Amino acid sequence: MPSPLPLDGQVAVIAGGAGAIGYASAQRLAAQGARIVLLGRASGDAHAKAAALPAPPSAAHAAAGAHRAIEADLTDSAALARAAAEVRERYGRADILVNSAGFTQPVPHADLDALDDALIDAIFTANWRAPFAAIRAFAPLLRASGHGLVVNISSIAASTGIGSNVAYCAAKAGLDTMANSLGRALAPHIRVINVSPGVVDSHFVPGRDAAFNDKQASTTPLKRIGQPDDIAAAVEACATTLLFATGSVIRIDGGRHLGAA
């Protein structure tokens, strides 16, 4: 039986790393020994979160200042290229890229006029183009790693067509197709896996409150909604044990994609 891949010394770049799922993933990967880069709009909160992550077991890595936040507009390809150069200069490597950032806005699916061109473009930019651009920017470092990994946070909206709005469902479907395409194109040096949550207890979708969460839990087979750490556990598995997977979409949704009984 293959042993789990040790992460001590590896560098994990997490786009959207200060968000709920991104930071839960950072905590799990750091606990496995990875050095973490929280990539995004690096507010003081992001820097504080990076500093609070557990230090790597290696004294040399810990002494070098293991974790940090790097500010970058994730929708700007030039900013992502600069971030990749900074990671190369600081660490000399990047082994894992987690694309956990995104954007959406609730729009009823039948309200075609409310889903205007500007909102469609913003949703596709944040949820498809930005992850692709991040992969493009970090691909040379990931390829040089020899066991590079990309994990994209998708959504079951990609396959159910039920989500915050039609454009969001379509953008996540595109993200899943990207995993198929890049899983093939970047093999064998870089694996690409999508983790596909259902409803998660976070503030990602504006306007969703406790009453909404309770209703969703009641119609989910496992009778609860997801927590950020549920999704982070799948990200950790992609990095440590699911080493024969690429081009895959892994649903972590409590069975919600099965529909109501």
Side-chain angles (χ1 to χ4, degrees), residues 29 54 62 66 69 161 179 191 226 237:
L29 296 179
R191 296 183 299 119

Side-chain angles (χ1 to χ4, degrees), residues 98-197:
V98 180
N99 281 312
S100 65
F103 160 76
T104 194
Q105 179 176 310
V107 177
H109 286 209
D111 192 349
L112 305 186
D113 293 328
L115 194 61
D116 59 30
D117 290 352
L119 181 55
I120 292 170
D121 289 348
I123 288 169
F124 270 84
T125 296
N127 295 289
W128 194 91
R129 196 189 78 192
F132 177 83
I135 295 169
R136 182 174 57 199
F138 283 91
L141 285 169
L142 295 170
R143 190 176 291 112
S145 164
H147 46 249
L149 169 67
V150 174
V151 181
N152 301 306
I153 305 302
S154 185
S155 169
I156 63 166
S159 56
T160 65
I162 301 170
S164 51
N165 61 64
V166 173
Y168 180 78
C169 296
K172 290 299 189 180
L175 193 66
D176 286 354
T177 299
M178 185 207 298
N180 293 336
S181 297
L182 294 186
R184 179 185 304 109
L186 301 181
H189 302 294
I190 302 174
R191 296 183 299 119
V192 182
I193 304 175
N194 283 13
V195 172
S196 184

